[in-house]
Amino acid sequence: MATEHAFAPLKNDLLLRTARGEKVSRPPCWVMRQAGRYLPEYHEAKGTKDFFEYCRSPEIASTLTLQPIERFAGLIDAAIIFSDILVIPQAMGMEVVMVDGKGPHFPEPLGSPEDTQYGEVMEREVDVKESLDYVYKAITLTRQKLEGRVPLYGFCGAPFTLICYMVEGGGSKIFRQTKTWIFRYPEETKKLLQKIAELCVEYLAQQVLAGAQIVQVFDSWAGELSPTSFRTFALPYLEYICNHLPKRLKELDAEVVPMVVFAKGAWYALEELCQTKYNVIGLDWLHEPKEAYAVAQKFGKVVQGNADPGVLYGGHEAITKVVEEMISGFGGGKQGWIANLGHGITPFVKPDDLKFFFQEIHRLSDVHQEQAMPTKADLAAAEERLHQRNILQSDW
Ligand SMILES: Cc1c2[nH]c(c1CCC(=O)O)Cc1[nH]c(c(CCC(=O)O)c1C)Cc1[nH]c(c(CCC(=O)O)c1C)Cc1[nH]c(c(C)c1CCC(=O)O)C2
């Protein structure tokens, strides 16, 4: 095993054990975007600096990563490195700025494959090991500062979601450019997706070498695709990543860590995602916990999610109800479930309401009687419902 860095032993291994499918005493929890704008200490640390400037500073990135770990000490079971999915397009030579209150902006998005820019991007040699060195340094420093309190997630954006940003130039409502690319230029789109998938493998491998203990691939825009388009432009590249990362890690003499996939909005692809080599399948709140859990159990997969992030605006009673539904739906919470929101935490949430969400996960999983695992009849019923929904979807 590569011993490039010596880190303190892990004191809380609930999440890694759950990700590997083991039984645990309670469900591990964390939330996507847990280091972010809802935290007053985030704004304090950030000052007036540019977003990507503090992503590039290992000292600042590690400080921000640790903020929720310190605030929610004893309640939270994982850290996620403070960075952004758009560092890959940056490594590919594209300029990305973060506009306050608006989100990411590419001053020169990728034009059509008929432009010379496409050829340039395709031919450019990209060295993610060198150009994203600051991310690996931030990971190593964060592991040192964590002193084994909780494990650290590394992450990247999925190829499809990354090309959405690269061609749209930012967020979008109608995805005009993305849809033009996939429907008008499918072959060129696939070549670009493949190039990005290869970069993702190397980028995640380097994150693990630097100290990431689990990795997550965010396909945040998957839900913009039809099931057929998802199978053509998203799934094969998600699969490329999970099929190649373990091999690359072995080559580098690094530990093969658990892999998480989060394809937001792709509820129709749950079974297909369960058939990949990802260990954990991230769920958004379009999934009914009980139904998704039964499907995942059938394939021996762990799930992560899936409360509607909006419940954190709804006060204690609403939070308790959603947590109850998750715990009973996800088999009692002692195996096969990492508690999380169904997408990133949103601005304006009161940190104490997130704290209450975590406390309720601890409290209710403790009082919850050990549940029987789903029966064969439960599994068959869940499968039937899923097929019904797929049939309905293809009729639309
Ligand atoms: C789509 C996406 C992006 N970035 C990311 C995704 C995938 C997850 C998802 O779907 O939400 C991933 C991401 N971005 C950030 C993290 C940090 C780690 C964490 O706490 O989860 C992670 C895991 C920091 C961030 N990334 C961003 C902020 C806010 C920056 C600020 O205004 O201070 C943070 C803390 C900015 C960002 N970055 C991005 C957008 C669309 C925005 C603006 C909108 C928003 O803020 O929610 C791209």
Coordinates of all heavy atoms in Angstrom, one line a residue, residues 93-179:
G93 N -8.1 24.1 -19.7 CA -7.8 25.3 -20.3 C -8.9 26.3 -20.4 O -8.7 27.4 -21.1
M94 N -10.0 26.0 -19.8 CA -11.2 27.0 -19.9 C -11.2 27.9 -18.7 O -10.9 27.5 -17.6 CB -12.5 26.2 -20.0 CG -12.5 25.3 -21.3 SD -14.2 24.6 -21.6 CE -15.1 26.1 -22.2
E95 N -11.6 29.1 -19.0 CA -11.7 30.1 -17.9 C -13.1 30.0 -17.2 O -14.1 29.9 -17.9 CB -11.5 31.5 -18.4 CG -11.3 32.5 -17.3 CD -11.4 34.0 -17.8 OE1 -11.2 34.2 -19.0 OE2 -11.7 34.8 -16.9
V96 N -13.1 29.9 -15.9 CA -14.4 29.9 -15.2 C -14.3 30.9 -14.0 O -13.3 30.9 -13.3 CB -14.6 28.5 -14.5 CG1 -16.1 28.4 -14.0 CG2 -14.4 27.3 -15.5
V97 N -15.3 31.7 -13.9 CA -15.3 32.6 -12.8 C -16.6 32.3 -12.0 O -17.6 31.9 -12.5 CB -15.2 34.1 -13.2 CG1 -13.9 34.5 -13.8 CG2 -16.4 34.4 -14.2
M98 N -16.5 32.6 -10.7 CA -17.7 32.5 -9.9 C -18.3 33.8 -9.6 O -17.7 34.7 -9.0 CB -17.3 31.8 -8.5 CG -18.5 31.2 -7.8 SD -19.5 29.9 -8.7 CE -18.4 28.5 -8.6
V99 N -19.5 34.1 -10.1 CA -20.2 35.4 -10.0 C -21.0 35.3 -8.7 O -21.9 34.5 -8.6 CB -21.0 35.7 -11.2 CG1 -21.6 37.1 -11.1 CG2 -20.2 35.6 -12.5
D100 N -20.7 36.3 -7.8 CA -21.4 36.3 -6.5 C -22.9 36.3 -6.7 O -23.5 37.1 -7.5 CB -21.0 37.6 -5.7 CG -20.2 37.2 -4.5 OD1 -20.2 36.0 -4.2 OD2 -19.7 38.1 -3.8
G101 N -23.6 35.4 -6.0 CA -25.0 35.4 -6.1 C -25.6 34.8 -7.4 O -26.8 34.7 -7.5
K102 N -24.7 34.5 -8.3 CA -25.2 34.0 -9.6 C -24.7 32.6 -9.9 O -25.4 31.8 -10.6 CB -24.8 34.9 -10.7 CG -25.7 36.0 -11.0 CD -25.5 36.6 -12.4 CE -26.7 37.3 -13.0 NZ -26.3 38.0 -14.2
G103 N -23.5 32.3 -9.5 CA -23.0 31.0 -9.8 C -21.9 31.0 -10.9 O -21.4 32.1 -11.2
P104 N -21.4 29.9 -11.4 CA -20.3 29.8 -12.2 C -20.6 30.4 -13.6 O -21.7 30.3 -14.1 CB -20.0 28.3 -12.4 CG -21.2 27.6 -11.9 CD -22.0 28.5 -11.1
H105 N -19.5 31.0 -14.2 CA -19.7 31.6 -15.5 C -18.4 31.4 -16.3 O -17.3 31.6 -15.8 CB -19.9 33.2 -15.3 CG -19.9 33.9 -16.6 ND1 -20.8 33.7 -17.6 CD2 -19.0 34.8 -17.1 CE1 -20.5 34.5 -18.6 NE2 -19.4 35.2 -18.4
F106 N -18.6 30.9 -17.6 CA -17.5 30.7 -18.5 C -17.5 31.9 -19.5 O -18.5 31.9 -20.3 CB -17.6 29.4 -19.3 CG -17.5 28.1 -18.5 CD1 -18.3 27.8 -17.5 CD2 -16.5 27.2 -18.9 CE1 -18.2 26.6 -16.8 CE2 -16.3 26.0 -18.2 CZ -17.1 25.7 -17.1
P107 N -16.6 32.8 -19.5 CA -16.6 33.9 -20.4 C -16.6 33.4 -21.9 O -17.2 34.0 -22.7 CB -15.4 34.7 -20.1 CG -15.0 34.3 -18.7 CD -15.4 32.9 -18.5
E108 N -15.9 32.3 -22.1 CA -15.9 31.7 -23.5 C -16.3 30.3 -23.5 O -15.4 29.4 -23.5 CB -14.5 31.9 -24.1 CG -14.1 33.3 -24.4 CD -12.7 33.3 -24.9 OE1 -12.3 32.7 -25.9 OE2 -11.9 34.0 -24.2
P109 N -17.6 30.0 -23.5 CA -18.0 28.6 -23.5 C -17.6 27.9 -24.8 O -17.3 28.6 -25.8 CB -19.5 28.7 -23.4 CG -19.9 30.1 -23.6 CD -18.7 31.0 -23.5
L110 N -17.6 26.6 -24.7 CA -17.3 25.8 -25.9 C -18.3 26.0 -27.0 O -19.5 25.7 -26.8 CB -17.2 24.4 -25.5 CG -16.3 23.4 -26.3 CD1 -14.9 23.9 -26.5 CD2 -16.2 22.1 -25.5
G111 N -17.9 26.4 -28.2 CA -18.8 26.6 -29.3 C -19.2 25.2 -29.9 O -19.0 24.2 -29.2
S112 N -19.7 25.2 -31.1 CA -20.0 23.9 -31.7 C -18.8 23.1 -32.1 O -17.7 23.7 -32.2 CB -20.9 24.2 -32.9 OG -20.2 24.0 -34.1
P113 N -18.9 21.8 -32.3 CA -17.8 21.0 -32.7 C -17.2 21.5 -34.0 O -16.1 21.0 -34.4 CB -18.3 19.6 -32.7 CG -19.6 19.6 -32.0 CD -20.1 21.0 -32.0
E114 N -18.0 22.3 -34.7 CA -17.4 22.7 -36.0 C -16.4 23.9 -35.8 O -15.7 24.2 -36.8 CB -18.6 23.2 -36.9 CG -19.4 22.0 -37.4 CD -20.8 22.3 -37.9 OE1 -21.0 23.5 -38.2 OE2 -21.6 21.4 -38.0
D115 N -16.4 24.5 -34.6 CA -15.4 25.5 -34.4 C -14.0 24.9 -34.2 O -13.9 23.8 -33.7 CB -15.8 26.3 -33.1 CG -17.1 27.1 -33.3 OD1 -17.6 27.2 -34.5 OD2 -17.7 27.5 -32.3
T116 N -13.0 25.8 -34.4 CA -11.6 25.3 -34.2 C -11.4 25.0 -32.7 O -10.6 24.1 -32.4 CB -10.6 26.3 -34.7 OG1 -11.0 27.6 -34.0 CG2 -10.6 26.5 -36.2
Q117 N -12.1 25.7 -31.8 CA -11.9 25.5 -30.4 C -12.1 24.0 -30.0 O -11.4 23.5 -29.1 CB -13.0 26.4 -29.7 CG -12.7 26.7 -28.3 CD -13.9 27.3 -27.6 OE1 -15.0 27.4 -28.3 NE2 -13.8 27.8 -26.4
Y118 N -13.0 23.3 -30.6 CA -13.3 21.9 -30.3 C -12.1 21.1 -30.5 O -11.6 20.3 -29.7 CB -14.5 21.4 -31.1 CG -14.7 19.9 -30.9 CD1 -15.4 19.4 -29.8 CD2 -14.3 19.0 -31.9 CE1 -15.6 18.0 -29.7 CE2 -14.6 17.6 -31.8 CZ -15.2 17.2 -30.6 OH -15.4 15.8 -30.5
G119 N -11.5 21.3 -31.7 CA -10.3 20.5 -32.1 C -9.2 20.8 -31.1 O -8.4 19.9 -30.6
E120 N -9.1 22.1 -30.7 CA -8.0 22.5 -29.7 C -8.2 21.8 -28.4 O -7.3 21.3 -27.8 CB -8.0 24.0 -29.5 CG -7.4 24.8 -30.7 CD -7.8 26.3 -30.6 OE1 -8.2 26.8 -29.5 OE2 -7.7 26.9 -31.7
V121 N -9.5 21.8 -27.9 CA -9.8 21.2 -26.6 C -9.5 19.7 -26.7 O -8.9 19.1 -25.8 CB -11.2 21.5 -26.2 CG1 -11.6 20.6 -25.0 CG2 -11.4 22.9 -25.8
M122 N -9.9 19.1 -27.8 CA -9.7 17.6 -27.9 C -8.2 17.2 -28.0 O -7.8 16.2 -27.5 CB -10.4 17.1 -29.2 CG -11.9 17.0 -29.1 SD -12.6 16.1 -27.6 CE -12.0 14.5 -27.9
E123 N -7.4 18.1 -28.6 CA -6.0 17.7 -28.8 C -5.1 18.2 -27.6 O -4.1 17.6 -27.5 CB -5.5 18.4 -30.1 CG -5.7 17.5 -31.3 CD -5.8 18.3 -32.6 OE1 -5.0 19.2 -32.7 OE2 -6.6 18.0 -33.4
R124 N -5.7 19.1 -26.8 CA -4.8 19.6 -25.7 C -4.5 18.5 -24.8 O -5.3 17.7 -24.3 CB -5.6 20.7 -25.0 CG -4.7 21.6 -24.1 CD -5.5 22.8 -23.6 NE -5.8 23.7 -24.7 CZ -6.9 24.4 -24.7 NH1 -7.8 24.3 -23.7 NH2 -7.2 25.3 -25.7
E125 N -3.2 18.4 -24.4 CA -2.7 17.5 -23.4 C -3.0 18.1 -22.1 O -2.6 19.2 -21.8 CB -1.2 17.3 -23.5 CG -0.7 16.5 -24.7 CD -0.6 15.0 -24.4 OE1 -0.4 14.7 -23.3 OE2 -0.7 14.3 -25.4
V126 N -3.8 17.3 -21.3 CA -4.2 17.9 -20.0 C -3.5 17.0 -18.9 O -3.7 15.8 -18.9 CB -5.7 17.8 -19.8 CG1 -6.1 18.5 -18.4 CG2 -6.4 18.6 -20.9
D127 N -2.8 17.7 -18.0 CA -2.1 17.0 -16.9 C -2.8 17.3 -15.6 O -2.5 18.3 -15.0 CB -0.7 17.4 -16.9 CG 0.1 16.6 -15.9 OD1 -0.5 15.9 -15.0 OD2 1.4 16.7 -15.9
V128 N -3.8 16.5 -15.2 CA -4.6 16.8 -14.0 C -3.7 16.6 -12.7 O -4.0 17.2 -11.7 CB -5.9 16.0 -13.8 CG1 -7.0 16.5 -14.8 CG2 -5.7 14.6 -13.9
K129 N -2.7 15.8 -12.9 CA -1.8 15.6 -11.7 C -1.1 16.9 -11.4 O -1.0 17.3 -10.2 CB -0.8 14.5 -12.0 CG 0.1 14.2 -10.8 CD 0.9 12.9 -11.0 CE 1.7 12.8 -9.7 NZ 3.0 12.3 -9.9
E130 N -0.6 17.6 -12.4 CA 0.1 18.8 -12.2 C -0.8 20.0 -12.0 O -0.7 20.7 -11.0 CB 1.1 19.1 -13.3 CG 2.2 20.0 -13.0 CD 2.8 20.6 -14.2 OE1 3.5 19.8 -14.9 OE2 2.7 21.8 -14.4
S131 N -1.8 20.1 -12.9 CA -2.6 21.4 -12.8 C -3.6 21.4 -11.6 O -3.9 22.5 -11.2 CB -3.3 21.6 -14.1 OG -4.1 20.5 -14.4
L132 N -3.9 20.3 -11.1 CA -4.8 20.3 -9.9 C -4.1 19.9 -8.6 O -4.7 19.5 -7.7 CB -6.1 19.4 -10.2 CG -6.9 19.9 -11.4 CD1 -8.1 19.0 -11.6 CD2 -7.4 21.3 -11.2
D133 N -2.8 20.1 -8.6 CA -2.0 19.8 -7.5 C -2.5 20.5 -6.2 O -2.4 19.9 -5.1 CB -0.6 20.4 -7.9 CG 0.4 20.1 -6.8 OD1 0.5 19.0 -6.4 OD2 1.1 21.1 -6.3
Y134 N -3.1 21.7 -6.4 CA -3.6 22.4 -5.2 C -4.7 21.6 -4.5 O -4.9 21.7 -3.3 CB -4.0 23.8 -5.5 CG -5.1 23.9 -6.5 CD1 -6.5 23.9 -6.1 CD2 -4.9 24.0 -7.9 CE1 -7.5 24.0 -7.0 CE2 -5.9 24.1 -8.8 CZ -7.2 24.1 -8.4 OH -8.2 24.2 -9.3
V135 N -5.5 20.8 -5.2 CA -6.6 20.1 -4.6 C -6.0 18.9 -3.8 O -6.4 18.7 -2.7 CB -7.5 19.4 -5.7 CG1 -8.6 18.6 -5.0 CG2 -8.1 20.5 -6.6
Y136 N -4.9 18.3 -4.3 CA -4.3 17.2 -3.6 C -3.7 17.7 -2.3 O -3.7 17.0 -1.3 CB -3.3 16.4 -4.5 CG -3.8 16.2 -5.9 CD1 -3.0 16.6 -7.0 CD2 -5.1 15.7 -6.1 CE1 -3.5 16.4 -8.3 CE2 -5.5 15.5 -7.4 CZ -4.7 15.9 -8.5 OH -5.2 15.8 -9.8
K137 N -3.1 18.9 -2.4 CA -2.4 19.5 -1.2 C -3.5 19.8 -0.2 O -3.3 19.6 1.0 CB -1.7 20.7 -1.6 CG -0.4 20.4 -2.4 CD 0.6 21.6 -2.4 CE 1.9 21.2 -2.9 NZ 2.2 22.0 -4.1
A138 N -4.6 20.3 -0.6 CA -5.7 20.6 0.3 C -6.2 19.3 1.0 O -6.5 19.3 2.2 CB -6.8 21.3 -0.4
I139 N -6.3 18.3 0.2 CA -6.8 17.0 0.8 C -5.8 16.5 1.8 O -6.2 16.1 3.0 CB -7.0 15.9 -0.4 CG1 -8.2 16.3 -1.2 CG2 -7.0 14.5 0.2 CD1 -8.5 15.4 -2.4
T140 N -4.5 16.5 1.5 CA -3.5 16.0 2.5 C -3.5 16.9 3.8 O -3.5 16.3 4.9 CB -2.1 16.1 1.8 OG1 -2.1 15.3 0.6 CG2 -1.0 15.5 2.8
L141 N -3.6 18.2 3.6 CA -3.6 19.1 4.8 C -4.9 18.8 5.6 O -4.9 18.8 6.8 CB -3.5 20.5 4.3 CG -3.4 21.6 5.4 CD1 -2.2 21.4 6.3 CD2 -3.3 23.0 4.7
T142 N -6.0 18.6 4.9 CA -7.3 18.4 5.6 C -7.2 17.1 6.4 O -7.6 17.0 7.5 CB -8.5 18.4 4.6 OG1 -8.5 19.6 3.9 CG2 -9.8 18.2 5.3
R143 N -6.6 16.1 5.8 CA -6.5 14.8 6.5 C -5.7 15.0 7.8 O -6.0 14.4 8.8 CB -5.8 13.7 5.7 CG -6.7 13.0 4.7 CD -7.7 12.0 5.4 NE -7.1 11.0 6.2 CZ -6.7 9.8 5.8 NH1 -6.9 9.5 4.5 NH2 -6.3 8.9 6.7
Q144 N -4.6 15.8 7.7 CA -3.8 16.1 8.8 C -4.6 16.8 9.9 O -4.6 16.4 11.1 CB -2.5 16.9 8.5 CG -1.5 16.0 7.8 CD -0.5 16.8 6.9 OE1 -0.6 18.0 6.8 NE2 0.5 16.1 6.3
K145 N -5.3 17.8 9.5 CA -6.1 18.6 10.5 C -7.3 17.8 11.1 O -7.7 18.0 12.2 CB -6.7 19.8 9.8 CG -5.6 20.9 9.4 CD -6.4 22.2 9.0 CE -5.4 23.2 8.5 NZ -6.2 24.4 8.0
L146 N -7.8 16.8 10.3 CA -8.9 16.0 10.8 C -8.5 15.1 11.9 O -9.3 14.7 12.8 CB -9.5 15.2 9.7 CG -10.6 15.8 8.8 CD1 -10.8 14.9 7.6 CD2 -11.9 16.1 9.6
E147 N -7.2 14.7 11.9 CA -6.7 13.8 13.0 C -7.6 12.6 13.2 O -7.8 12.2 14.3 CB -6.5 14.6 14.3 CG -5.5 15.7 14.2 CD -5.4 16.6 15.5 OE1 -6.5 16.9 16.0 OE2 -4.3 16.9 15.9
G148 N -8.1 12.1 12.1 CA -8.9 10.8 12.2 C -10.3 11.0 12.7 O -11.0 10.0 13.0
R149 N -10.8 12.2 12.9 CA -12.1 12.4 13.5 C -13.2 11.7 12.6 O -14.1 11.0 13.1 CB -12.5 13.9 13.6 CG -12.0 14.5 14.9 CD -12.2 16.0 14.9 NE -11.2 16.7 14.1 CZ -11.1 18.0 14.0 NH1 -12.1 18.8 14.5 NH2 -10.2 18.6 13.3
V150 N -13.2 12.0 11.3 CA -14.1 11.4 10.3 C -13.4 11.2 9.0 O -12.4 11.8 8.8 CB -15.4 12.3 10.1 CG1 -16.3 12.4 11.3 CG2 -14.9 13.7 9.6
P151 N -13.9 10.3 8.1 CA -13.3 10.1 6.8 C -13.5 11.3 5.9 O -14.5 12.1 6.1 CB -13.9 8.9 6.3 CG -15.2 8.8 7.0 CD -15.0 9.4 8.3
L152 N -12.7 11.4 4.9 CA -12.7 12.5 3.9 C -13.2 12.1 2.5 O -12.5 11.2 2.0 CB -11.4 13.2 3.9 CG -11.2 14.4 2.9 CD1 -12.1 15.6 3.3 CD2 -9.8 14.9 2.9
Y153 N -14.2 12.7 2.0 CA -14.6 12.4 0.6 C -13.8 13.3 -0.3 O -13.6 14.5 -0.1 CB -16.1 12.9 0.4 CG -17.2 12.0 0.7 CD1 -17.5 11.6 2.0 CD2 -18.0 11.4 -0.3 CE1 -18.5 10.8 2.4 CE2 -19.1 10.6 0.0 CZ -19.3 10.2 1.4 OH -20.4 9.4 1.7
G154 N -13.4 12.7 -1.4 CA -12.9 13.4 -2.6 C -14.1 13.4 -3.6 O -15.0 12.6 -3.4
F155 N -14.0 14.2 -4.6 CA -15.1 14.2 -5.6 C -14.7 14.7 -7.0 O -13.7 15.4 -7.1 CB -16.4 14.9 -5.1 CG -16.2 16.4 -5.0 CD1 -16.5 17.2 -6.1 CD2 -15.7 17.1 -3.9 CE1 -16.4 18.6 -6.1 CE2 -15.5 18.4 -3.8 CZ -15.9 19.2 -4.9
C156 N -15.6 14.5 -7.9 CA -15.4 15.2 -9.2 C -16.8 15.3 -9.9 O -17.8 14.7 -9.4 CB -14.5 14.4 -10.2 SG -15.2 12.9 -10.8
G157 N -16.9 16.1 -10.9 CA -18.2 16.2 -11.7 C -18.2 15.1 -12.7 O -17.1 14.6 -13.2
A158 N -19.4 14.6 -13.0 CA -19.5 13.5 -14.0 C -19.3 14.2 -15.4 O -19.6 15.4 -15.6 CB -20.8 12.9 -14.0
P159 N -18.8 13.4 -16.4 CA -18.6 14.0 -17.7 C -19.8 14.7 -18.3 O -19.7 15.9 -18.8 CB -18.2 12.8 -18.6 CG -17.5 11.9 -17.6 CD -18.3 12.1 -16.3
F160 N -21.0 14.2 -18.2 CA -22.1 14.8 -18.8 C -22.4 16.2 -18.1 O -22.6 17.2 -18.8 CB -23.4 14.0 -18.7 CG -24.6 14.7 -19.2 CD1 -24.7 15.1 -20.5 CD2 -25.6 15.2 -18.3 CE1 -25.8 15.9 -21.0 CE2 -26.6 16.0 -18.7 CZ -26.8 16.3 -20.0
T161 N -22.4 16.2 -16.8 CA -22.6 17.5 -16.1 C -21.6 18.5 -16.4 O -21.8 19.7 -16.6 CB -22.7 17.2 -14.6 OG1 -24.0 16.5 -14.4 CG2 -22.7 18.5 -13.8
L162 N -20.3 18.1 -16.6 CA -19.3 19.0 -16.9 C -19.4 19.6 -18.3 O -19.3 20.8 -18.5 CB -17.9 18.3 -16.8 CG -17.5 18.0 -15.3 CD1 -16.1 17.3 -15.2 CD2 -17.5 19.3 -14.4
I163 N -19.8 18.8 -19.3 CA -20.0 19.4 -20.6 C -21.2 20.3 -20.6 O -21.2 21.3 -21.4 CB -20.0 18.4 -21.8 CG1 -21.3 17.6 -21.9 CG2 -18.8 17.6 -22.0 CD1 -21.5 17.1 -23.3
C164 N -22.2 20.1 -19.8 CA -23.3 21.0 -19.7 C -22.8 22.4 -19.4 O -23.1 23.4 -20.1 CB -24.3 20.7 -18.6 SG -25.3 19.3 -19.0
Y165 N -21.9 22.5 -18.3 CA -21.4 23.8 -18.0 C -20.4 24.3 -19.1 O -20.4 25.5 -19.3 CB -20.6 23.7 -16.6 CG -21.5 23.7 -15.5 CD1 -21.8 22.5 -14.8 CD2 -22.2 24.8 -15.0 CE1 -22.7 22.5 -13.7 CE2 -23.1 24.8 -14.0 CZ -23.3 23.7 -13.3 OH -24.2 23.7 -12.2
M166 N -19.7 23.5 -19.7 CA -18.7 23.9 -20.7 C -19.4 24.5 -21.9 O -18.9 25.5 -22.5 CB -17.8 22.8 -21.1 CG -16.8 22.4 -20.0 SD -16.0 20.7 -20.2 CE -15.0 21.1 -21.6
V167 N -20.5 23.9 -22.3 CA -21.1 24.4 -23.5 C -22.2 25.5 -23.2 O -22.4 26.4 -24.1 CB -21.7 23.3 -24.4 CG1 -20.6 22.3 -24.8 CG2 -22.9 22.6 -23.8
E168 N -22.8 25.4 -22.1 CA -23.8 26.5 -21.7 C -23.1 27.7 -21.2 O -23.7 28.8 -21.3 CB -24.8 26.0 -20.7 CG -25.6 24.7 -21.0 CD -26.6 25.0 -22.1 OE1 -26.9 26.1 -22.4 OE2 -27.0 23.9 -22.7
G169 N -21.9 27.5 -20.6 CA -21.2 28.7 -20.1 C -21.7 29.0 -18.6 O -21.3 30.0 -18.0
G170 N -22.5 28.2 -18.1 CA -23.0 28.4 -16.7 C -24.3 27.5 -16.5 O -24.5 26.6 -17.3
G171 N -25.0 27.8 -15.5 CA -26.3 27.1 -15.3 C -27.2 27.4 -16.4 O -27.0 28.3 -17.2
S172 N -28.3 26.5 -16.6 CA -29.2 26.8 -17.7 C -30.6 26.3 -17.3 O -30.8 25.4 -16.4 CB -28.7 26.0 -18.9 OG -29.7 26.2 -20.0
K173 N -31.6 26.8 -18.0 CA -33.0 26.3 -17.8 C -33.4 25.4 -18.9 O -34.0 24.4 -18.8 CB -34.0 27.4 -17.7 CG -33.9 28.1 -16.3 CD -35.3 28.6 -15.9 CE -35.4 29.1 -14.5 NZ -34.8 30.4 -14.2
I174 N -33.0 25.8 -20.2 CA -33.5 25.0 -21.3 C -32.4 24.2 -22.0 O -32.6 23.4 -22.9 CB -34.2 25.9 -22.4 CG1 -33.2 27.0 -22.9 CG2 -35.5 26.5 -21.8 CD1 -33.8 27.7 -24.1
F175 N -31.1 24.3 -21.5 CA -30.0 23.5 -22.0 C -30.0 23.5 -23.5 O -29.8 22.5 -24.2 CB -30.1 22.1 -21.4 CG -29.9 22.1 -20.0 CD1 -30.9 22.3 -19.0 CD2 -28.6 21.8 -19.5 CE1 -30.6 22.4 -17.7 CE2 -28.3 21.8 -18.1 CZ -29.3 22.1 -17.2
R176 N -30.1 24.7 -24.1 CA -30.1 24.8 -25.6 C -28.8 24.2 -26.2 O -28.9 23.4 -27.1 CB -30.3 26.3 -26.0 CG -30.2 26.5 -27.4 CD -30.4 27.9 -27.8 NE -30.1 28.1 -29.2 CZ -29.9 29.3 -29.7 NH1 -30.1 30.4 -29.0 NH2 -29.6 29.4 -31.0
Q177 N -27.7 24.6 -25.7 CA -26.4 24.2 -26.3 C -26.2 22.7 -26.0 O -25.7 22.0 -26.9 CB -25.2 25.0 -25.7 CG -25.4 26.5 -25.8 CD -25.7 27.0 -27.3 OE1 -25.3 26.3 -28.2 NE2 -26.3 28.2 -27.4
T178 N -26.4 22.3 -24.8 CA -26.2 20.8 -24.5 C -27.1 20.0 -25.4 O -26.6 19.0 -26.0 CB -26.6 20.6 -23.0 OG1 -26.0 21.5 -22.2 CG2 -26.2 19.2 -22.6
K179 N -28.3 20.3 -25.6 CA -29.2 19.5 -26.4 C -28.8 19.6 -27.9 O -28.9 18.6 -28.6 CB -30.7 20.0 -26.2 CG -31.2 19.8 -24.8 CD -31.2 18.3 -24.4 CE -31.4 18.1 -22.9 NZ -32.8 18.1 -22.4

